Amino acid sequence: MPDNSDLTSAPAEPSLQEQIAAYQREFQDLDPQVEQVVSALQRVNRRMNVAYGRQTATLGVSNAEWEVLKALVLSGEPYRLGPGDLAKRLGLTPAAMTHRIDRMAGEGLVTRERDENNRVRVIVELTHEGREKWLEAMRMASVFEEDLLQDLSAEERGLLGELLARVLRRVEEDQPDAGGRLTDLD
Amino acid sequence: MPDNSDLTSAPAEPSLQEQIAAYQREFQDLDPQVEQVVSALQRVNRRMNVAYGRQTATLGVSNAEWEVLKALVLSGEPYRLGPGDLAKRLGLTPAAMTHRIDRMAGEGLVTRERDENNRVRVIVELTHEGREKWLEAMRMASVFEEDLLQDLSAEERGLLGELLARVLRRVEEDQPDAGGRLTDLD
DNA sequence: CCTGAAGACTTCAACAGTAAAGTTCGAAGC
DNA sequence: GCTTCGAACTTTACTGTTGAAGTCTTCAGG
């Protein structure tokens, strides 16, 4: 008669409040206000990434590919960047960019050609199809993002954006080098 | 005479304001307030992950391993969870957990044993060394987190935490299943 | 010119993650 | 009590990323 009454019982994800309480229990020197900001930030970001992944998947574009499209579009006309730049902006190694561009060029989302003025350089350029894919993804993302903030008034949204921008300014001037790999993390 | 005056000139990372302006330029149907919240959130989160990675690396613990330690500690005494639970909490597949636990058991951070009451189950338990590593990492992380919010008053911190918690509540009840892989993304 | 140094990308080997198939044990029915 | 089903973990094959080494081009001197 298997009993396992308490060792195998509570699997579910803890709520934010439970998580903060657990931190307090296990590590006393912790400001609960700070921890609430950090934990909530991480959890919201994680949910966003999951949602983006589901949406882009319906377009036949991976999340990784969407990132490349985004960087190219945001660079503005003529939607060209080098592999090195792209790698820096996405926070991954040049080697990884080489392979990503291979795939995306094969799918017709970008083109890759050598710069004729400087044959060491390579130019990655967004195709029309790539731009269309990005626009479709953005349409879906903007709906999701609007929904995300639905419980906040316009004033609260502005306040939240301003507070986050101030935090960002702090951390960006503390360690100005954007570089640094990141693998996962919630 | 190589010229390349404008094609190879501007590589640097755009600022938050520049990024939002680029979004407006490329995609008109976008609420700049919403986009500021989303973009700032993503960028802060990314910087945090890079910072955590650097800190844990100095302890000889990878970011991925730190995540496992965190889940075990927050589960409370006796610091035991199954691979399946861990996988769910960290948002990765059971197969990945098997390998992570292999490594971490080899390093003495956790132990792995079969549950004698139900031999299908496996119990992963934090070792004393694992708990010490987590505490060291937390000491460093709490200093960083405190610094992150240094420009905000206590009142502003509370407000930020509350607004984020409300956003989190919204997204968690919208899609209640925490599951969902995530690979990278900024 | 020719050589050396530096830059930009690519290639290679090792490693971490996913998806799907495989294994083992426990529980329910006949 | 034998069989079947399902749960929990592991194994296998493959994809994607890293870090280091390699290639090719440009630039600066001798």
Side-chain angles (χ1 to χ4, degrees):
Chain A
M1 65 305 269
D3 173 85
N4 58 32
S5 45
D6 41 73
L7 269 184
T8 58
S9 51
E13 51 169 1
S15 72
L16 179 61
Q17 295 312 322
E18 287 167 348
Q19 181 176 329
I20 292 169
Y23 269 119
Q24 298 257 81
R25 165 168 48 73
E26 299 293 336
F27 190 83
Q28 283 75 25
D29 307 355
L30 200 59
D31 181 341
Q33 247 183 1
V34 172
E35 201 51 38
Q36 167 150 347
V37 170
V38 170
S39 292
L41 194 73
Q42 290 174 326
R43 288 169 74 133
V44 170
N45 194 77
R46 173 163 175 175
R47 296 286 185 152
M48 284 174 43
N49 289 348
V50 171
Y52 289 145
R54 285 180 183 162
Q55 292 184 334
T56 55
T58 69
L59 297 178
V61 175
S62 78
N63 229 333
E65 290 171 338
W66 186 41
E67 289 287 298
V68 177
L69 298 179
K70 179 167 92 179
L72 283 168
V73 170
L74 292 186
S75 76
E77 305 247 34
Y79 306 128
R80 294 179 174 189
L81 288 174
D85 274 357
L86 281 168
K88 224 170 300 174
R89 296 188 192 218
L90 302 200
L92 35 80
T93 60
M97 273 312 308
T98 294
H99 296 310
R100 256 192 215 188
I101 292 167
D102 281 348
R103 274 175 270 148
M104 295 179 68
E107 296 166 18
L109 298 173
V110 301
T111 58
R112 159 203 269 152
E113 58 189 72
R114 299 211 84 90
D115 183 342
E116 284 307 325
N117 295 331
N118 182 341
R119 298 186 48 71
V120 175
R121 288 202 159 89
V122 170
I123 297 179
V124 177
E125 180 170 344
L126 197 61
T127 63
H128 178 71
E129 184 188 346
R131 187 156 190 279
E132 287 303 315
K133 287 283 186 187
W134 181 80
L135 282 169
E136 287 179 59
M138 271 309 288
R139 276 190 276 274
M140 294 197 303
S142 67
V143 171
F144 166 74
E145 291 167 3
E146 173 62 36
D147 183 74
L148 185 75
L149 301 187
Q150 196 156 36
D151 291 347
L152 269 50
S153 69
E155 196 180 338
E156 289 170 327
R157 295 176 188 195
L159 187 52
L160 178 56
E162 193 240 326
L163 289 171
L164 286 172
R166 280 169 61 195
V167 173
L168 179 63
R169 198 174 313 128
R170 170 90 193 162
V171 69
E172 282 187 345
E173 67 191 20
D174 262 21
Q175 25 134 272
D177 51 334
R181 310 277 135 329
L182 58 115
T183 314
D184 63 306
L185 212 47
D186 62 311
Chain B
M1 67 301 272
D3 174 85
N4 59 32
S5 46
D6 40 70
L7 270 185
T8 58
S9 51
E13 51 168 1
S15 73
L16 178 62
Q17 294 313 320
E18 287 166 348
Q19 181 175 331
I20 293 170
Y23 269 119
Q24 298 259 81
R25 164 168 50 72
E26 300 292 336
F27 190 83
Q28 283 74 25
D29 308 354
L30 200 60
D31 181 341
Q33 246 182 3
V34 172
E35 201 51 39
Q36 167 150 347
V37 171
V38 170
S39 293
L41 194 73
Q42 291 174 325
R43 288 168 75 133
V44 170
N45 194 77
R46 173 164 174 174
R47 294 288 185 150
M48 281 175 42
N49 289 347
V50 171
Y52 289 144
R54 287 181 181 160
Q55 291 184 336
T56 55
T58 68
L59 297 178
V61 175
S62 79
N63 229 333
E65 290 171 338
W66 185 41
E67 289 289 297
V68 177
L69 297 180
K70 179 168 92 179
L72 284 167
V73 169
L74 291 186
S75 76
E77 305 248 33
Y79 306 126
R80 294 179 174 190
L81 288 173
D85 274 356
L86 281 168
K88 223 170 298 173
R89 297 188 190 217
L90 301 200
L92 34 80
T93 61
M97 275 310 310
T98 294
H99 296 310
R100 258 193 211 185
I101 292 168
D102 281 347
R103 275 174 268 148
M104 293 179 70
E107 296 167 17
L109 297 173
V110 301
T111 59
R112 161 202 268 151
E113 58 190 72
R114 299 211 84 91
D115 183 341
E116 284 306 327
N117 294 332
N118 182 342
R119 298 187 48 72
V120 175
R121 288 203 159 88
V122 170
I123 297 178
V124 178
E125 180 171 344
L126 196 62
T127 63
H128 178 71
E129 183 188 347
R131 185 155 192 280
E132 288 302 317
K133 286 281 186 188
W134 181 80
L135 283 169
E136 287 180 59
M138 272 308 289
R139 276 190 276 273
M140 293 197 303
S142 66
V143 171
F144 166 75
E145 290 167 3
E146 173 63 37
D147 183 74
L148 185 74
L149 302 187
Q150 196 155 37
D151 291 347
L152 269 50
S153 69
E155 196 180 338
E156 288 170 326
R157 295 176 188 195
L159 188 52
L160 178 55
E162 194 241 324
L163 289 170
L164 287 172
R166 279 169 61 195
V167 173
L168 179 63
R169 199 174 313 130
R170 170 92 194 161
V171 70
E172 283 187 345
E173 69 192 20
D174 262 21
Q175 24 135 269
D177 51 333
R181 308 279 137 327
L182 59 115
T183 315
D184 63 307
L185 214 47
D186 63 310

